[in-house]
Amino acid sequence: MIVTWNGPVISLGMKVVPALAAGNCVVVKPSEFTPFSPDLFAQLLREAGVPQGVCTILTGGPEAGAALVRHPKVAKVSFAGGPVAARQIMHACADQLKPAVLELGGKTASLVFPDAGDLDAVANRAVRDCIGVLAGQGCAVPSRLIVHEDIHDEMVERVTAIAATYKVGDPFDPEVKVGPLINAAAVERVCGMLDRVRRDGAGRIVLGGSKAGGDLADKNFVEPTIIVDTDPDHEIAQTEIFGPVLLIFKFSTDDEAVALANSTPYGLGANIQSTNLIGKAGGPGSTNSCATRRFPSSSRSRPKGAEAIPRPLFYVHLKPQWRHRDNRAAVRHRLGRRHPTRRSARAAG
């Protein structure tokens, strides 16, 4: 199991525990950026009575992950991360006909209708979930706010005013709402995307848009950033940002809203904010109705929820078994085979 850096503990809980419950031993390769919490997780497993060697933590960089994926004794690979590494893992697994569970990126859209209700609450959620949660470093954060034209300008004002109050700094400070990015390379990548928005005229930055200054200038912080009038085909609207950046789009009709929500290769999540979902983007009760087609850069499997339970949870493979030759008729009936069992198969165990 290769787990990502932005939520290692929750990933371990969602992946390791079901695999152990299904009777497997697990080797976990944590991100080289966050190696300590998986080690603590392993200590807690030992304290809970899980035998030594049932869950092993293998630290290291990409080379360690590649060696683990290609090891012949690894029967299945579970990966959480980005599509670039996922393609490499898929190639390696294909060479060995090895199954893989891939949980990839997202570009979550939040559709806001005129009857959304308390717009202050909507604006607070938008800023908190995209900018305040992990400084935007999450695959499911709603980084695209798609707002009906009747309330668009008002929402932009409310969201911008709220984001402007978010203090950036040490996450252990109770007054701070935006922490650092994972490393300097992440800051350079996010700021590079923002620079290209300016260069290409692909949006209007109404708040932030730069690396944090002052006492934080030499550290890994980016200002809370709001972008409006974004070109939906631009890089910043099509790929994960993984920074405290919220894009706001405008729509006129339901069809236009769904088209915007579906305009990226990601489909990990979506939500609708309305007090009356009847007839809106998919019908009553739909919180993910924007996901109406195949999304190649999101999960290639369903490792969670009701769809995973019958498998169960992708960590068990059922095999047909040959029994003693005296019971070969029952074996043929069980497997649905009508032709005679071969001698070599009959003799097997």
Side-chain angles (χ1 to χ4, degrees):
M1 291 188 175
I2 302 176
V3 297
T4 186
W5 51 264
N6 63 330
V9 174
I10 192 170
S11 292
L12 291 168
M14 291 188 296
K15 295 174 177 290
V16 172
V17 173
L20 296 181
N24 299 282
C25 291
V26 178
V27 179
V28 176
K29 209 297 283 187
S31 169
E32 61 270 31
F33 303 130
T34 52
F36 301 114
S37 49
D39 184 65
L40 176 60
F41 181 84
Q43 294 178 34
L44 294 174
L45 287 180
R46 288 194 291 271
E47 291 178 13
V50 176
Q52 188 79 17
V54 171
C55 181
T56 302
I57 307 298
L58 174 67
T59 57
E63 297 82 4
L68 182 62
V69 168
R70 293 186 177 277
H71 197 285
K73 289 189 176 181
V74 173
K76 190 161 195 172
V77 175
S78 177
F79 170 76
V84 174
R87 291 186 183 96
Q88 297 172 353
I89 290 172
M90 287 186 73
H91 282 298
C93 289
D95 289 341
Q96 304 177 66
L97 301 179
K98 183 183 298 184
V101 176
L102 305 177
E103 187 176 351
L104 310 180
K107 193 74 173 176
T108 296
S110 179
L111 279 61
V112 183
F113 288 84
D115 60 354
D118 185 347
L119 294 186
D120 280 333
V122 173
N124 272 292
R125 281 194 300 270
V127 177
R128 178 198 65 198
D129 293 348
C130 178
I131 293 175
V133 174
L134 298 174
Q137 299 169 106
C139 56
V141 299
S143 58
R144 296 183 297 150
L145 194 65
I146 301 176
V147 185
H148 192 274
E149 60 184 0
D150 290 351
I151 56 171
H152 174 269
D153 294 347
E154 183 179 0
M155 280 299 302
V156 169
E157 292 179 5
R158 291 173 188 253
V159 166
T160 303
I162 293 168
T165 67
Y166 271 40
K167 183 178 179 181
V168 181
D170 184 350
F172 289 101
D173 182 343
E175 296 184 358
V176 166
K177 293 189 176 181
V178 183
L181 301 194
I182 185 65
N183 52 32
V187 174
E188 182 178 356
R189 178 183 54 78
V190 172
C191 289
M193 294 178 76
L194 297 173
D195 288 342
R196 289 189 288 277
V197 169
R198 296 186 184 93
R199 180 198 67 192
D200 300 336
R204 182 163 56 92
I205 299 175
V206 296
L207 180 72
S210 303
K211 185 178 179 181
D215 295 338
L216 304 177
D218 59 343
K219 299 179 176 63
N220 300 329
F221 295 90
V222 172
E223 298 173 329
T225 299
I226 307 295
I227 305 178
V228 300
D229 301 330
T230 309
D231 179 356
D233 295 324
H234 192 264
E235 165 199 23
I236 203 159
Q238 287 292 313
T239 62
E240 288 186 299
I241 303 172
F242 256 58
V245 180
L246 176 62
L247 311 179
I248 303 179
F249 298 85
K250 182 192 299 185
F251 74 90
S252 302
T253 66
D254 289 5
D255 288 345
E256 185 181 0
V258 173
L260 281 169
N262 284 345
S263 64
T264 80
Y266 298 92
L268 193 60
N271 60 72
I272 296 172
Q273 302 195 58
S274 169
T275 56
N276 180 16
L277 288 177
I278 301 298
K280 287 188 174 66
S286 293
T287 57
N288 64 344
S289 57
C290 300
T292 57
R293 62 177 180 84
R294 184 178 179 186
F295 295 88
S297 296
S298 289
S299 296
R300 304 293 294 180
S301 52
R302 299 293 182 270
K304 306 183 187 72
E307 291 183 340
I309 291 173
R311 309 291 170 125
L313 290 173
F314 288 90
Y315 300 117
V316 172
H317 282 175
L318 301 179
K319 296 181 179 180
Q321 295 182 358
W322 296 107
R323 296 188 178 181
H324 192 270
R325 61 183 298 176
D326 291 340
N327 198 30
R328 58 186 179 275
V331 172
R332 289 199 301 271
H333 174 73
R334 182 179 179 185
L335 297 179
R337 300 173 65 99
R338 296 182 180 179
H339 57 76
T341 306
R342 294 178 180 176
R343 181 177 300 276
S344 60
R346 290 204 309 267

